[in-house]
């Protein structure tokens, strides 16, 4: 059995990660983990709709004599609709059956006990699935194929598709520990988990196909990874532009008529134009900044910089509140305050002096934010959350957004999600229900500088705002996923609430309406003004819309089940989803009884809805059992997830389950090296005990992970030890820059660039610093000091920008406006990785010609960390 206090690649509850060392005497041999070898995503993307297949290949080395069961907790897009799972055992392919979860688990366990090959796919949370495969043996490949459809996000005039490749540990509240969603955790986390990801997509009617996260090889409409395979340590994001003849209009629709359900399913792209009537209006903004342990490092620094920059851009007509949250929430003031220069300075000081950290109590903080006093006569009210959203209590968090949406003076909720592998499902759903927008930024220094990306996102919040946007459809009883729908009088028509958006920001609306009646027509309004009107386009019909709508219904029922409602409140929540909740029962006095009654009632609805729609839920599962006789399983191993890029490597302790993950989130630490090991499964080192104490091979992977407590078997297993090979430079994550007891602080060799007055003429495009040599490291900050100490930000042209190039001298990794740096005290954070001997260039952009007579005297410091 693994000793979790000795081996960092083990789970505290006893799961091991099996590693095969072809030559144990060679400590530098490449690492090879089994049984998952490779994950590949294939499929076709047409317009915004992606029809995809995720194939997971399992195998054992030919010399292995073990019969293994593998457990892998893997991510899928939270807004995707899984339409089926197929399993191939060698040459035999079996399509799984979707059943109630308890029945599917029973089938799987019985098959495993009988020595038959089997596979089980369960859903823990909307974006995290568990795959159990029994009967993996040498010489036979096992492939599990998961089919799903997904709608791409709008990206300018084109689209973007986000494919999650790993799952980060999520904070679990004590009162959420028994929820299915709390199990949406990795079984193990390693910087190099031993398996790889491959991509092969066909993107039709597209141009300018690119990725901000991975190097691509694009041949016509075929898209693959340039290196063939990649370490699964971050989301894979693919973006592309629509062809010129297919440019986005203000309103575009796709419709699927389904006679079986007597419904028409629709997908509408609403892209409000930049009306001349759009204008800057007084805003009331509540800023919620995540200071939990998982935000440590570049994410924390960039988030704080973003807050400073945002506050500096507010006018004295705007009001704001500022809250910092982790285990608790600390507020700058009890009520929103006007954004005067003095108040802004006080808020920045408050931000910089509060560095305490802990867990991620996002829901508690959001409830306090929505409860803040509202400023009178403010037409635009917003909550802007900066977080990685790594929490498991999504049901209650989303319930807050639903309740807020019913208020006449509601606040819109938007999310800036910062992480290489964020909880994108929660962030997107929260923004949709909150009537706001969600944006995702990587925290990896190997990608774009996170602070530069935040600067670009926050520019949207300085744009003119369109308020009261609605999408009208000529039907009553319309339903729209994640949005409030109201009856239009006179009608017949329904109005779908879209929210307050910066002019020109597109959003999706997915819904369904009764099939009978006149041909479908849609109308986009901003207040009383009609922005666009279209009739349904049958030429763009697609059956995938029905699955997407069904998956959303299932997801929303799951959130209701975990949202903590009962009695009349539960009836109201279900009525919003068009369910008759007459039999839900009376309000209970004791919380335990109320929760059990509500959960039982919603679970029955959830199973029925899931099976009817043919999409999985947390209470249903896909199962496949091979009829041919096999061999008994001799051991169970967990497949590790890749440590998300930008995270410090966790040091596993003795805490278990939810407490372990909470501790990890609160204080992630760095591990310079870890020991790895091999367990030989020879029948004497089985992973479970019967009640009588006898060792058996019937280890139940379906027990709740936090309840597992597997004792050490009587016969000690054999171990082979060796030091793990160091991770490749491309995935190395630097340790936190906090001196440890007894250790020297990290080596720092800052780069100083001194410019004399008039040294560079003309100014625009001038190179201030250029170097093609140097070691590997990370640029951590940029500081600017002018020779003229009396120079202020108000005296600078706002378009003066420093461009930092690293490696690629054609595309800057960071764009730094001098005005912003000066307003924030002359220094801003960077998180830019530099490989050995990559060129580094610092250039000046002066499009207005403010410094055509020459650059003034200044000093620029680039912070450097080995």
């Amino acid at each position: 059995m693994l000793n979790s206090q000795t081996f960092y690649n083990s789970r505290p509850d006893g799961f091991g990660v099996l590693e095969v060392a072809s030559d144990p005497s060679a400590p530098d041999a490449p690492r090879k983990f089994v049984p998952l070898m490779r994950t590949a995503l294939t499929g076709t993307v047409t317009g915004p709709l992606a029809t995809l297949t995720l194939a997971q290949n399992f195998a054992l080395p030919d010399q292995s004599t073990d019969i293994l069961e593998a457990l892998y907790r893997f991510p899928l897009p939270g807004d995707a609709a899984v339409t089926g799972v197929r399993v191939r055992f060698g040459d035999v392919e079996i399509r799984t059956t979707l059943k109630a979860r308890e029945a599917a688990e029973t089938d799987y366990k019985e098959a495993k006990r009988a020595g038959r090959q089997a596979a089980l796919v369960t859903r823990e949370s909307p974006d995290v699935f568990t795959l159990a495969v029994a009967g993996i043996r040498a010489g036979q490949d096992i492939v599990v194929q998961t089919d799903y459809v997904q709608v791409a996000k709008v990206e300018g005039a084109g689209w973007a598709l986000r494919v999650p490749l790993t799952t980060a540990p999520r904070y679990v509240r004590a009162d959420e520990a028994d929820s299915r969603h709390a199990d949406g955790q990795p079984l193990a986390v390693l910087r190099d988990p031993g398996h790889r990801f491959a991509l092969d997509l066909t993107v039709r009617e597209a141009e300018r196909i690119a990725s901000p996260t991975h190097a691509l090889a694009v041949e016509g409409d075929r898209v693959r990874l340039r290196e063939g395979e990649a370490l699964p340590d971050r989301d894979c994001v693919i973006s592309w532009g629509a062809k010129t003849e297919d440019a986005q209009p203000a309103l575009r629709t796709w419709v699927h008529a389904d006679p079986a359900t007597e419904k028409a399913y629709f997908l509408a792209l609403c892209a409000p134009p930049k009306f001349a009537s759009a204008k800057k209006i007084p805003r009331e903004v509540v800023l919620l900044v995540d200071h939990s342990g998982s935000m440590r490092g570049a994410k924390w620094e960039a988030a704080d910089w973003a807050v400073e920059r945002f506050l500096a851009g507010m006018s004295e007509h705007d009001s704001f509140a500022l809250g910092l949250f982790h285990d608790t929430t600390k507020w700058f003031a009890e009520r929103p305050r006007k954004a005067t220069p003095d108040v802004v300075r006080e808020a920045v000081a408050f931000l910089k002096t509060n560095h305490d950290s802990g867990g991620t109590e996002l829901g508690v903080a959001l409830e306090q934010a929505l409860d803040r006093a509202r400023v009178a006569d403010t037409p635009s009210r917003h909550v802007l959350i900066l977080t990685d959203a790594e929490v498991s209590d999504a049901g209650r968090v989303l319930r807050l957004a639903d309740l807020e949406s019913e208020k006449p003076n509601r606040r819109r909720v938007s999310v800036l999600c910062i992480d290489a592998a964020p909880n994108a499902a929660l962030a997107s759903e929260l923004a949709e229900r909150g009537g706001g927008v969600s944006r995702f930024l990587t925290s990896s220094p190997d990608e774009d500088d996170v602070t530069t990306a935040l600067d670009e996102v926050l520019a949207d919040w300085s744009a003119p705002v369109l308020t009261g946007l609605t999408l009208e459809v000529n039907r009553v009883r319309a339903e729209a996923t994640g949005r409030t729908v109201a009856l239009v009088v006179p009608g017949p028509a329904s109005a779908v609430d879209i929210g307050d958006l910066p002019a020109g920001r597109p959003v999706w609306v997915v819904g369904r309406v009764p099939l009978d009646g006149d041909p479908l027509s849609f109308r986009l309004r901003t207040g009383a003004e009609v922005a666009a009107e279209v009739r349904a386009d049958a030429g763009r019909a697609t059956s995938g819309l029905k699955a997407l709508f069904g998956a959303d219904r299932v997801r929303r029922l799951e959130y209701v089940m975990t949202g903590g409602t009962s009695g009349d409140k539960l009836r109201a929540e279900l009525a919003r989803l068009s369910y008759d909740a007459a039999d839900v029962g009376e309000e209970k006095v004791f919380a335990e009884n109320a929760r059990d009654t509500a959960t039982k009632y919603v679970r029955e609805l959830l199973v029925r809805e899931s099976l009817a729609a043919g999409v999985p839920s947390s209470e249903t599962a896909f199962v496949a059992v091979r009829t041919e006789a096999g061999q008994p399983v001799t051991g169970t191993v967990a497949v590790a997830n890749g440590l998300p890029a930008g995270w410090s490597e966790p040091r596993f302790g003795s805490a278990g389950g939810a407490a372990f993950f909470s501790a990890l989130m609160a204080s992630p630490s760095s591990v310079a090296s870890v020991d790895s090991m091999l367990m030989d499964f020879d029948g004497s080192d089985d992973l479970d005990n019967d009640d009588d104490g006898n060792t058996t091979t019937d280890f139940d992977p379906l027990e709740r992970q936090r309840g597992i407590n597997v004792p050490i078997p009587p016969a000690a297993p054999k171990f082979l030890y060796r030091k793990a090979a160091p991770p490749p430079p491309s995935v190395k994550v630097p340790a936190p820059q906090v001196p440890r007891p007894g250790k020297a602080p990290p080596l720092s060799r800052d780069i100083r660039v001194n410019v004399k007055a008039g040294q560079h003429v003309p100014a625009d495009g001038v190179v201030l610093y250029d170097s093609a040599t140097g070691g590997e490291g990370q640029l951590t900050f940029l500081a600017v000091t002018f020779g003229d100490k009396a120079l202020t930000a108000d005296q600078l042209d706002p378009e003066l920008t420093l461009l930092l190039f690293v490696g690629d001298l054609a595309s800057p990794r960071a764009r730094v406006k001098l005005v912003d740096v000066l307003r924030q005290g002359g220094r801003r954070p960077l998180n830019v990785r530099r490989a050995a001997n990559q060129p580094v260039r610092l250039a000046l952009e002066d499009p207005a010609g403010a410094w055509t007579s020459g650059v003034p005297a200044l000093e620029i410091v680039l912070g450097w960390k080995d």
Side-chain angles (χ1 to χ4, degrees):
M1 216 46 224
L2 300 187
N3 182 339
S4 62
Q5 297 183 6
T6 303
F7 301 102
Y8 296 128
N9 66 335
S10 69
R11 278 197 34 88
D13 53 21
F15 277 129
V17 178
L18 184 67
E19 180 179 352
V20 172
S22 57
D23 183 4
S25 63
D28 296 327
R31 305 174 74 178
K32 184 178 181 183
F33 289 85
V34 294
L36 177 62
M37 312 303 292
R38 188 172 185 261
T39 296
L41 184 71
T42 59
T44 302
V45 183
T46 304
L49 196 68
T51 304
L52 306 172
T53 297
L54 187 73
Q56 296 159 322
N57 295 65
F58 293 84
L60 288 181
D62 291 338
Q63 66 270 25
S64 175
T65 59
D66 302 311
I67 307 298
L68 297 181
E69 175 189 42
L71 304 178
Y72 180 38
R73 191 154 285 162
F74 66 97
L76 283 177
D79 58 350
V82 176
T83 56
V85 178
R86 293 164 288 157
V87 184
R88 191 172 71 246
F89 298 101
D91 296 329
V92 178
E93 180 172 296
I94 302 173
R95 181 171 287 276
T96 61
T97 302
L98 183 64
K99 296 184 176 183
R101 181 162 177 160
E102 184 176 345
E105 290 176 350
T106 299
D107 289 352
Y108 177 82
K109 291 165 66 175
E110 290 178 352
K112 191 180 77 168
R113 284 179 177 156
R116 300 184 189 279
Q117 290 180 311
L120 177 73
V121 180
T122 58
R123 189 169 99 158
E124 317 308 334
S125 64
D127 61 338
V128 179
F129 289 70
T130 301
L131 171 62
V133 181
I136 303 174
R137 58 177 182 256
Q140 183 186 65
D141 291 336
I142 297 177
V143 182
V144 180
Q145 295 178 303
T146 302
D147 300 322
Y148 68 93
V149 292
Q150 182 184 6
V151 176
K153 301 296 183 184
V154 180
E155 190 78 20
W159 322 103
L161 196 68
R162 176 174 291 271
V163 181
L165 303 185
T166 189
T167 300
R170 292 174 182 174
Y171 178 79
V172 180
R173 288 173 51 90
D175 58 357
E176 291 279 342
D178 291 331
S179 119
R180 293 281 193 200
H181 289 186
D183 282 349
Q185 309 280 4
L187 296 175
V189 179
L190 289 172
R191 193 174 301 284
D192 184 350
H195 50 89
R196 293 295 183 264
F197 169 75
L199 179 75
D200 192 348
L201 297 180
T202 299
V203 185
R204 294 174 178 162
E205 302 175 0
E207 59 186 10
R208 303 185 308 277
I209 303 172
S211 172
T213 58
H214 292 77
L216 300 180
V218 180
E219 300 176 7
D221 59 2
R222 189 178 183 186
V223 182
R224 289 173 290 179
L225 297 180
R226 184 183 300 170
E227 303 301 325
E229 297 181 335
L231 186 72
D233 66 345
R234 71 199 69 191
D235 289 2
C236 179
V237 180
I238 310 294
S239 63
W240 63 97
K243 289 188 179 297
T244 305
E245 63 270 20
D246 197 32
Q248 307 293 2
L251 180 61
R252 190 179 181 197
T253 61
W254 290 257
V255 175
H256 169 64
D258 183 45
T261 59
E262 297 183 345
K263 299 286 186 181
Y265 297 84
F266 68 86
L267 174 68
L269 174 64
C270 305
K274 296 186 176 181
F275 289 142
S277 59
K279 59 183 179 180
K280 284 196 174 183
I281 57 178
R283 296 172 295 172
E284 176 201 283
V285 181
V286 182
L287 292 159
L288 270 184
V289 187
D290 188 345
H291 273 189
S292 65
S294 63
M295 289 287 290
R296 285 290 187 186
K299 291 193 289 185
W300 184 311
E301 293 178 355
D304 282 4
W305 162 269
V307 172
E308 291 184 54
R309 183 186 180 284
F310 184 83
L311 292 176
M314 297 186 80
S315 75
E316 296 189 17
H317 301 290
D318 297 328
S319 302
F320 74 94
L322 173 62
L324 314 177
F325 71 93
H326 46 88
D327 286 330
T328 59
T329 306
K330 187 176 294 185
W331 290 95
F332 166 62
E334 287 300 314
R335 299 175 60 86
R337 301 180 63 181
K338 291 292 185 182
T340 64
D342 289 342
V343 172
V344 168
R345 278 192 293 269
E346 292 175 23
V348 170
F350 168 80
L351 181 70
K352 291 183 175 180
T353 55
N354 284 280
H355 289 162
D356 51 321
S357 185
T360 314
E361 294 288 357
L362 171 60
V364 174
L366 178 57
E367 187 167 35
Q368 292 182 23
L370 296 174
D371 198 40
R372 297 282 104 178
R374 285 161 166 78
V375 177
D377 301 325
T378 303
S380 182
R381 305 178 191 275
H382 298 268
V383 175
L384 178 58
I385 310 172
L386 289 86
T387 181
D388 56 15
E390 298 294 359
V391 298
S392 66
D393 58 337
R396 288 192 285 189
V397 173
L398 295 174
R399 183 181 164 202
L400 293 173
D402 287 340
L403 293 173
E404 181 69 15
S405 69
E406 298 173 356
K407 298 177 182 178
N409 58 349
R410 68 177 294 188
R411 287 185 168 114
R412 310 282 178 172
V413 181
S414 294
V415 185
L416 295 183
C417 205
I418 311 173
D419 199 21
N423 188 347
L426 174 56
S428 297
E429 186 88 8
L430 181 57
E432 280 192 9
R433 296 197 188 194
V437 295
S438 57
R439 289 290 298 270
F440 300 90
L441 306 173
T442 180
S443 59
S444 172
D446 295 312
E447 309 301 336
D448 290 338
D449 175 53
V450 65
T451 311
T452 298
L454 270 174
D455 286 347
E456 295 170 356
V457 170
L458 291 174
D460 281 344
W461 295 91
S462 299
V465 174
L466 293 168
T467 59
L469 290 168
T470 59
L471 175 68
E472 291 184 4
V473 55
N474 63 332
R475 290 287 195 279
V476 295
R477 300 188 306 279
E479 302 168 76
T481 61
R483 299 185 182 276
T484 302
V485 181
L487 183 65
V488 175
V489 178
S494 299
V496 181
D497 175 63
I498 295 177
D500 298 349
L501 296 177
R505 168 59 60 82
V507 295
W508 284 116
V509 178
V510 182
R512 71 178 180 186
V513 295
L515 187 57
D516 59 297
D518 297 331
L520 277 175
S521 65
F522 300 84
R523 179 180 294 172
L524 180 64
R525 285 184 177 274
T526 171
E529 189 171 1
V530 176
E533 186 172 5
V534 297
R535 287 187 176 271
D537 188 343
R540 296 194 184 99
T542 172
S543 59
L545 298 183
K546 179 181 177 181
L548 285 168
F549 186 87
D552 182 83
R553 298 266 294 180
V554 163
R555 186 168 62 250
R556 296 183 74 184
L557 273 176
E558 286 183 352
Y559 289 139
V560 169
M561 189 169 66
T562 58
T565 56
S566 62
D568 290 340
K569 293 180 180 178
L570 178 58
R571 287 190 188 90
E573 290 288 330
L574 293 175
R576 287 164 58 98
L577 299 179
S578 303
Y579 292 106
D580 182 5
D583 299 331
V584 76
E586 298 298 325
E587 194 86 32
K588 303 299 181 184
V589 174
F590 289 93
E592 294 87 348
N593 294 332
R595 181 187 61 213
D596 292 346
T597 300
T599 299
K600 180 177 182 298
Y601 184 86
V602 179
R603 181 182 288 120
E604 293 173 355
L605 282 178
L606 182 57
V607 171
R608 188 168 70 238
E609 186 76 37
S610 174
L611 295 179
V615 295
S617 71
S618 60
E619 299 300 328
T620 56
F622 286 105
V623 64
V625 176
R626 190 172 180 183
T627 57
E628 295 87 351
Q631 296 173 270
V633 168
T634 58
T636 297
V637 294
V639 176
N641 290 85
L643 182 72
W647 281 59
S648 299
E649 193 161 20
R651 175 179 282 116
F652 290 159
S654 58
F660 162 71
F661 284 107
S662 298
L664 174 64
M665 297 294 288
S667 57
S669 53
S670 177
V671 179
S673 64
V674 299
D675 289 318
S676 58
M677 45 74 67
L678 168 68
M679 176 184 288
D680 287 339
F681 295 98
D682 58 4
S684 62
D685 49 8
D686 306 313
L687 295 178
D688 198 14
N689 285 6
D690 281 338
D691 293 337
D692 59 5
N694 296 323
T695 302
T696 75
T697 59
D698 187 25
F699 172 65
D700 182 5
L702 307 169
E703 292 181 45
R704 307 305 285 260
Q705 67 184 53
R706 62 189 51 76
I708 294 173
N709 185 16
V710 183
I712 297 177
K718 309 182 191 78
F719 298 106
L720 299 175
Y721 302 92
R722 65 179 178 81
K723 279 288 184 183
S730 62
V731 297
K732 179 181 176 184
V733 178
Q737 296 305 292
V738 178
R740 302 180 196 163
K743 292 192 175 183
L747 182 63
S748 174
R749 295 192 299 271
D750 296 341
I751 300 171
R752 295 183 178 273
V753 181
N754 288 289
V755 178
K756 297 179 181 179
Q759 178 178 348
H760 296 291
V761 181
D764 190 32
V766 70
V767 175
L768 305 178
Y769 173 78
D770 212 352
S771 174
T773 62
E776 176 188 352
Q778 185 175 341
L779 297 165
T780 58
F781 71 86
L782 181 147
V784 178
T785 305
F786 282 92
D788 182 359
K789 304 299 182 184
L791 187 64
T792 66
D794 293 337
Q795 297 171 291
L796 289 180
D797 183 277
E799 297 305 314
L800 286 167
T801 305
L802 293 175
L803 306 180
L804 177 64
F805 301 84
V806 177
D808 182 1
L809 298 183
S811 178
R813 293 281 296 278
R815 301 177 62 91
V816 182
K817 288 188 178 293
L818 287 173
V819 167
D820 292 336
V821 177
L822 230 58
R823 283 176 178 161
Q824 268 65 264
R827 176 174 168 138
R828 64 97 88 186
L830 289 173
N831 69 316
V832 176
R833 168 76 58 193
R834 183 219 188 161
N837 294 322
Q838 273 191 330
V840 176
R841 176 174 294 175
L842 188 66
L844 176 68
E845 185 177 70
D846 181 12
W851 286 352
T852 52
S853 59
V855 178
L858 75 160
E859 181 185 61
I860 302 170
V861 180
L862 294 172
W864 176 263
K865 177 182 68 176
D866 286 332

